[in-house]
Amino acid sequence: MTEFVVAGAGLGGSLMAALLGRAGHRVTVLERRADPRTGLVEAGRSINLAISERGLHALARLGLTDAILRIATPLHGRMIHPVSGPLAFQAYGRKGQSINSISRASLNQVLLDAAEQSGAVRMQFGRRCTELDLEAGAVVSVDAVTGQAPERHPGVVLGADGAYSAVRGQLQRRERYDFSQDYLGHGYKELYIPAGPGGAHRLDPNALHIWPRGGYMMMAMANVDGSFTVTLYLGFDGPDSFSRLVTPEAVEQFFEREFPDARALIPELAGTFLGNPTGSLVTIRSRPWHIGGKVALLGDACHAIVPFFGQGANAAFEDCLALEGALGRHPADLARAFGEYEAERCPNADAIADLALGNFLEMRDRVASPWFRFEKRVQALVHRLFPRWFIPLYTMISFTRIPYAEARRRARVQTRVVRGVLILVAVAAIAAVWQLIR
Amino acid sequence: MTEFVVAGAGLGGSLMAALLGRAGHRVTVLERRADPRTGLVEAGRSINLAISERGLHALARLGLTDAILRIATPLHGRMIHPVSGPLAFQAYGRKGQSINSISRASLNQVLLDAAEQSGAVRMQFGRRCTELDLEAGAVVSVDAVTGQAPERHPGVVLGADGAYSAVRGQLQRRERYDFSQDYLGHGYKELYIPAGPGGAHRLDPNALHIWPRGGYMMMAMANVDGSFTVTLYLGFDGPDSFSRLVTPEAVEQFFEREFPDARALIPELAGTFLGNPTGSLVTIRSRPWHIGGKVALLGDACHAIVPFFGQGANAAFEDCLALEGALGRHPADLARAFGEYEAERCPNADAIADLALGNFLEMRDRVASPWFRFEKRVQALVHRLFPRWFIPLYTMISFTRIPYAEARRRARVQTRVVRGVLILVAVAAIAAVWQLIR
C-alpha cells in the first residue's frame, strides 16, 4: 500500500486514480477546476475525443467498456466534403472496425465515478498545486479561487495535470531537464450543428466528417443527442486565417465560399465564431518523466500532442496501464518502477507526437487527392492478402495495441515496399503494352 | 529618446546598455548579482571566453578594442595533447589570425564601465526581476536577497538575463510561445593550472589546449597572469563519467590514465575536482524574441548555446549591433524594429546553436584523427588557392562576419565539393598507377 497524490482529475488522472484505488493504494486527487459532475462544463474548447482500441483496452480493465460504448458514437470512416460535388466515404479499416466519438466531459464523469468507487480515493476539487516537495514527497495545494488555505499532501506525486502541468513546471526549473513546447501555426475554433427534428443527425453520424481545403480543414463528429461538434483548423496568419476572420461578413463569406454545405447547418455562425475562443495546438516533449521514486508524469503533462490522430487520450490511458504494470512488478522500488515505465512509454510518446503532426498534413491536404485514395485502396488490398505482414498505419494505431514506435517503423517499411511494387507493376505493364503495339 | 529597462548586466546586457546610452536613450539596468567590480566574482563556473572577429567588431563600435586586447591572450590554433607522444599544433587560420582568450569577469567589468560612461545609464545591482507588465511596458524588481522592496521600472524591456532568463520565463507562459531547452548528456568541471615561477605560462599560452579522448575531452585556455583555466567535459553517466568520479582515488586514477601531462600541472586535483560544482550545458531556442514594441530578448536569454565554437558572447554582441541598427532605422516604431531584429538574427542563432553542438563532436572525437588533419590541410590549401570562393567553416565563423546561417550553408557546399574532388583525384591516381604497372 502506497500513498499517492494525483495532480489533475482529467482523463488520465481519474483513470490512474481508479487503477491505483483498485490495487489497494490510498489516493488523493487534486483538481483545479470544480467537479464537472456538479456544475456547468467549460464549453468551446473541447475537441471531441475518439476512443479506439488502446483506450478501450484500458477501460476494459475497469469493466467500463459497456458504460463507455453506450455514450459513444462509432465512426467507421472519413466522409470527405468537397466544396461542391458528392461526398466521398473512406473506411478506416475492415467492416466492423470503428473508432468511438465521445464527449470529453461524459468520459471524464464516468472515470471520476469509477475512481471514487474503486477504493480509498479521495477527490479534492478547486485545489491548485503550487509547490512540489521532492525530498519528502509531497504537494502543497491552495484554493484555486482565493489562492488561500494552503494544504500539504504527503505521498508519491503523479502529475496528470495536462499540457500546462504545474507539476512539470516545477521539474522544468531543475538543471538537466529537457523540455520543448512547439505551437502549430494553426489554431482551432469550435462550432456546433444542432440536432434535426426529433433528435435526428443532420449528417451521417457514423463518419468523421472532414472538409479538407489544403492548408486548413474543418471536422465534425457526432454527439449522441443528434448534434455535431464542429472544429475548424485554420492558420493564425496569412490570406485565409483567423487574423482575417474578424467581422461577421468575413466569417459568412468564408464559410459560403469554402464550406457551403456545413454553412447551412450551423445557426448563428458569425456570432458563435466570433464569440468562441480560438484555441492553440501544442506539442510538448519533456524528459525525464520521473524523479527518483518521488514524482512521475503521465499523459499530456509529459507529452501533449496535436489531436489529428485522435490518440491523445488513448496514449494517456496506455501510460496509466504501463505505470500500473511497472508498479505491480516493483511495488517496493518505485524509482525502478518509474524508470521502467518511462523507458517503455517515452519512445512511443515521441512517435505518436510525430505521427499526429504528420496526420494533419494528410487530413487537410492529401485525403482529397486521387493518388492518396488509390494508395489507400492498394494498402487495404495488400492488407487483405497478407493480413499479418502488412497492416496499414491507421489500422495499427487505431485498431491494434502495437506500440506506437513499432507501428511507425513498420509503416515506413511497408510504404517503401508497396511503392516499390507499384513501380515494378507499372514498368511491367508499360513493357507489356510496348510488346503488344510495336 | 526612449526609456529602456535592460534586465541583466552580463556581457550582452552591459554592451547593449552602452550602445543605447551612446545613442542618447535613458537606460536602467537591473542585475540580480552584486556589482562584480566591487566584490568577489563567483568562481568555478565560468568557462573562459574566446572573442573573435564578430565580438571585436562590436567592441570597436565603442572604442574598446585596445582595452580588451590588452587583457586578452591571442590563440593561434589548437594544441592537441594525446595520452602519450608529442603534442600536435593545428593553426586556426592563416598567419596572424587568432581568437582572443579572455576571462568573463574582466570583459564584463570593461563593458560595465563603458555602459556607465556612455550617457544616461543607471545600474542597479542586487535586483531580481519578478514581473513583466506587457501592457504598459515595465518591469517589477525586488531585492535579490530579501525578496522585499518591490520597485517598478517603466520602459521598453530588453531581456539580456541569460539562459535562465526571468523575462523569457514570463513570455514562455503565454500561448503560442515556442520554447525548448535541451541539455547535453555531458557536464563540465573547471580546474586550474597556476602560473609557473615568475608568472610564466606552463603550457604554450597562444594555443587552445585540447585533450581529445573520444566521447569526452579536456580544454585549457591561458589567462594573462600566467595561469590556465582548465575545463573537463565529461558525460554525467556511463563508464567514464562524473557519476564514477566521486572519490579522490577515482579522480587521481582517471587523470593519471587519461591526462598524465595535465595531471602534473594541476595542484590539489582531487580536492578541487570534488569541491567545484559540475556545470551542465544547455541549448535554448525560443520564439518569438519580442512582443510588440514592449519587450525583446537578446543573447543567451533567447538562444543559449553550448560553448564548443566559442561563439556565445560573440553571437550576443552581434544581437546587440543588429538591435541597435534596427532601432536606428525605426526609432518611432519599436515593434517594427524588434521584428526586423528578430528576422535577421533568429536563423543565425539557430545555425550557430547547431554548429556549436557539431563542434563538440569534432573537438572530442575527430581532431585527433589523421583523416581529419588531412582534410583540414586540404581545406587550407584550397582556401589559399581560391581565397574568396572557398573559406573553411572555422574561418568563416571566427574570422569573418558572414552571417552564421550563410556560413553553415556555404560550408556544406564546400565540403561536398572538396570531398568530390578528393575522390576524383584518388580515382585518377589509381587509374594512372594501373596504367603504369600493367
Side-chain angles (χ1 to χ4, degrees):
Chain A
M1 210 278 303
T2 308
E3 178 92 41
F4 284 96
V5 184
V6 177
L11 301 180
S14 50
L15 181 74
M16 194 69 230
L19 291 170
L20 292 171
R22 212 184 50 139
H25 299 295
R26 281 164 56 112
V27 185
T28 303
V29 181
L30 304 171
E31 168 60 50
R32 190 172 48 81
R33 287 165 296 188
D35 190 337
R37 297 165 299 184
T38 59
L40 277 170
V41 175
E42 251 182 284
R45 293 190 71 152
S46 69
I47 299 169
N48 261 34
L49 292 171
I51 293 295
S52 48
E53 175 58 21
R54 294 163 203 269
L56 287 176
H57 176 74
L59 295 166
R61 299 267 296 177
L62 293 168
L64 295 174
T65 314
D66 288 347
I68 295 298
L69 290 182
R70 245 196 316 276
I71 54 171
T73 308
L75 308 178
H76 304 303
R78 298 166 172 167
M79 187 72 81
I80 310 298
H81 294 243
V83 178
S84 61
L87 306 189
F89 182 77
Q90 300 173 0
Y92 277 137
R94 283 171 303 185
K95 216 175 155 68
Q97 285 182 326
S98 62
I99 62 175
N100 303 282
S101 164
I102 190 168
S103 93
R104 173 184 291 271
S106 315
L107 177 57
N108 206 354
Q109 290 173 16
V110 171
L111 290 172
L112 288 171
D113 288 343
E116 282 187 334
Q117 290 153 17
S118 69
V121 175
R122 185 163 147 260
M123 301 268 177
Q124 288 189 260
F125 291 93
R127 301 295 301 179
R128 188 162 59 82
C129 296
T130 54
E131 231 176 276
L132 189 62
D133 180 345
L134 275 174
E135 300 303 316
V139 153
V140 175
S141 76
V142 296
D143 185 287
V145 177
T146 64
Q148 303 294 312
E151 201 181 327
R152 188 182 161 85
H153 314 270
V156 175
V157 180
L158 299 181
D161 47 349
Y164 299 96
S165 169
V167 175
R168 187 199 64 230
Q170 302 272 328
L171 301 186
Q172 255 167 264
R173 295 191 208 159
R174 295 164 62 90
E175 275 205 6
R176 299 183 60 201
Y177 197 86
D178 288 343
F179 171 74
S180 74
Q181 56 188 37
D182 282 294
Y183 284 86
L184 275 195
H186 287 65
Y188 69 91
K189 182 79 80 174
E190 207 170 287
L191 300 166
Y192 187 72
I193 298 176
H201 285 96
R202 306 190 59 183
L203 296 168
D204 179 350
N206 297 118
L208 177 78
H209 295 267
I210 310 185
W211 289 258
R213 291 296 177 267
Y216 59 93
M217 68 170 188
M218 196 162 73
M219 258 181 55
M221 278 164 103
N223 299 313
V224 278
D225 66 357
S227 66
F228 280 84
T229 300
V230 181
T231 316
L232 171 68
Y233 296 96
L234 187 66
F236 283 105
D237 303 301
D240 282 327
S241 72
F242 284 117
S243 68
R244 305 291 173 94
L245 301 181
V246 289
T247 63
E249 299 70 41
V251 173
E252 299 280 2
Q253 279 173 20
F254 178 67
F255 273 75
E256 287 293 353
R257 194 182 76 221
E258 297 293 337
F259 312 112
D261 61 338
R263 166 75 201 85
L265 303 173
I266 304 173
E268 293 169 50
L269 169 67
T272 315
F273 187 98
L274 298 173
N276 274 352
T278 306
S280 57
L281 300 158
V282 69
T283 300
I284 283 177
R285 302 182 205 250
S286 65
R287 191 138 196 192
W289 289 6
H290 75 103
I291 306 288
K294 299 297 186 186
V295 60
L297 304 172
L298 63 91
D300 283 3
C302 44
H303 57 86
I305 62 179
V306 295
F308 303 107
F309 227 122
Q311 287 293 315
N314 291 288
F317 288 180
E318 278 199 330
D319 287 351
C320 295
L321 286 195
L323 192 47
E324 186 201 28
L327 290 169
R329 287 193 299 279
H330 310 291
D333 187 350
L334 294 194
R336 185 161 171 202
F338 289 169
E340 287 190 12
Y341 153 72
E342 177 179 326
E344 176 185 342
R345 293 301 298 162
C346 206
N348 292 313
D350 261 345
I352 193 62
D354 295 337
L355 291 171
L357 287 165
N359 221 39
F360 184 37
L361 302 182
E362 177 165 324
M363 290 174 83
R364 73 179 206 220
D365 298 346
R366 300 187 56 228
V367 285
S369 94
W371 168 253
F372 175 84
R373 293 192 206 177
F374 171 69
E375 214 175 356
K376 283 269 155 181
R377 277 200 202 125
V378 172
Q379 286 186 2
L381 177 72
V382 180
H383 178 44
R384 216 170 301 157
L385 294 173
F386 310 101
R388 285 175 59 91
W389 177 80
F390 185 100
I391 314 178
L393 176 62
Y394 192 91
T395 300
M396 283 193 280
I397 298 298
S398 300
F399 304 125
T400 79
R401 289 186 292 119
I402 296 170
Y404 291 127
E406 165 74 7
R408 177 170 62 166
R409 196 193 57 73
R410 283 181 67 167
R412 280 190 190 141
V413 174
Q414 290 178 172
T415 302
R416 254 178 252 148
V417 171
V418 167
R419 288 200 180 154
V421 169
L422 280 180
I423 288 169
L424 280 181
V425 169
V427 169
I430 290 167
V433 170
W434 180 249
Q435 285 291 334
L436 284 176
I437 61 171
R438 90 191 167 128
Chain B
M1 211 278 301
T2 309
E3 178 93 39
F4 285 96
V5 184
V6 178
L11 301 180
S14 50
L15 180 73
M16 194 68 231
L19 292 169
L20 292 171
R22 211 184 50 139
H25 299 294
R26 281 165 56 111
V27 186
T28 303
V29 182
L30 304 171
E31 168 59 51
R32 190 171 48 79
R33 285 165 298 187
D35 189 337
R37 296 165 299 183
T38 59
L40 276 170
V41 174
E42 249 181 288
R45 293 191 70 154
S46 69
I47 299 170
N48 260 34
L49 292 171
I51 293 296
S52 48
E53 175 59 22
R54 296 162 202 269
L56 287 175
H57 177 74
L59 294 167
R61 299 268 296 177
L62 292 168
L64 295 175
T65 314
D66 289 345
I68 296 299
L69 290 183
R70 243 195 318 273
I71 53 171
T73 308
L75 308 179
H76 305 303
R78 297 165 173 168
M79 186 71 82
I80 311 297
H81 294 244
V83 177
S84 60
L87 306 190
F89 181 76
Q90 301 173 359
Y92 277 138
R94 285 171 302 182
K95 214 172 155 70
Q97 284 184 325
S98 61
I99 61 176
N100 304 282
S101 166
I102 190 169
S103 93
R104 173 185 293 272
S106 315
L107 178 56
N108 206 354
Q109 290 174 15
V110 171
L111 291 171
L112 288 170
D113 288 343
E116 283 187 335
Q117 290 154 17
S118 69
V121 175
R122 188 165 145 259
M123 301 267 177
Q124 289 191 260
F125 290 93
R127 302 293 302 178
R128 186 162 60 82
C129 296
T130 53
E131 233 176 275
L132 190 61
D133 180 345
L134 275 173
E135 300 303 316
V139 154
V140 176
S141 76
V142 296
D143 184 288
V145 177
T146 64
Q148 304 293 313
E151 201 182 324
R152 187 181 162 84
H153 316 270
V156 175
V157 180
L158 299 181
D161 46 350
Y164 300 95
S165 170
V167 174
R168 189 200 62 230
Q170 302 273 328
L171 301 184
Q172 256 167 262
R173 296 192 206 159
R174 295 164 61 92
E175 275 205 6
R176 299 183 61 202
Y177 197 86
D178 288 343
F179 171 75
S180 74
Q181 56 189 38
D182 282 294
Y183 284 87
L184 274 196
H186 287 65
Y188 69 91
K189 181 81 79 175
E190 208 170 287
L191 300 167
Y192 186 71
I193 296 177
H201 286 98
R202 306 191 59 183
L203 296 169
D204 180 350
N206 296 120
L208 177 78
H209 294 267
I210 310 185
W211 289 257
R213 290 297 179 265
Y216 59 93
M217 68 172 189
M218 196 162 75
M219 257 180 57
M221 278 164 103
N223 299 313
V224 278
D225 66 357
S227 65
F228 280 84
T229 301
V230 181
T231 317
L232 171 68
Y233 296 95
L234 186 66
F236 284 105
D237 303 301
D240 282 326
S241 71
F242 283 117
S243 68
R244 303 291 172 95
L245 301 180
V246 290
T247 64
E249 298 72 38
V251 173
E252 298 282 1
Q253 278 173 22
F254 177 67
F255 273 75
E256 286 295 352
R257 195 182 76 221
E258 297 293 337
F259 312 112
D261 62 336
R263 165 75 201 86
L265 302 173
I266 305 173
E268 292 169 51
L269 169 67
T272 315
F273 187 99
L274 297 172
N276 274 350
T278 306
S280 56
L281 299 158
V282 68
T283 300
I284 283 176
R285 301 181 205 251
S286 64
R287 191 138 195 191
W289 289 5
H290 75 103
I291 306 288
K294 300 296 185 186
V295 61
L297 304 173
L298 65 90
D300 283 3
C302 44
H303 57 86
I305 63 180
V306 295
F308 303 107
F309 228 122
Q311 287 293 316
N314 291 289
F317 288 179
E318 278 199 329
D319 287 352
C320 294
L321 285 195
L323 191 48
E324 185 200 30
L327 290 169
R329 288 193 299 278
H330 310 291
D333 187 350
L334 294 194
R336 186 161 170 203
F338 289 170
E340 287 189 10
Y341 154 71
E342 177 178 327
E344 176 184 342
R345 293 299 299 161
C346 207
N348 292 314
D350 261 347
I352 192 62
D354 295 339
L355 291 172
L357 288 165
N359 222 38
F360 184 37
L361 301 182
E362 177 165 325
M363 290 174 83
R364 73 179 207 218
D365 300 346
R366 299 188 56 229
V367 285
S369 94
W371 168 253
F372 175 83
R373 294 193 207 176
F374 172 67
E375 215 176 355
K376 282 269 156 182
R377 279 203 201 123
V378 172
Q379 286 186 3
L381 178 71
V382 180
H383 178 45
R384 215 169 305 157
L385 293 173
F386 309 100
R388 285 176 59 91
W389 178 79
F390 185 99
I391 313 177
L393 176 62
Y394 192 91
T395 300
M396 285 193 280
I397 297 300
S398 299
F399 304 126
T400 80
R401 289 187 291 118
I402 297 169
Y404 292 127
E406 166 73 8
R408 177 170 62 168
R409 197 192 57 70
R410 283 182 67 167
R412 281 188 189 140
V413 174
Q414 291 179 174
T415 302
R416 255 178 250 146
V417 170
V418 167
R419 288 199 180 154
V421 169
L422 280 181
I423 288 168
L424 280 179
V425 168
V427 169
I430 290 167
V433 170
W434 181 247
Q435 285 291 335
L436 283 176
I437 62 171
R438 88 185 170 136

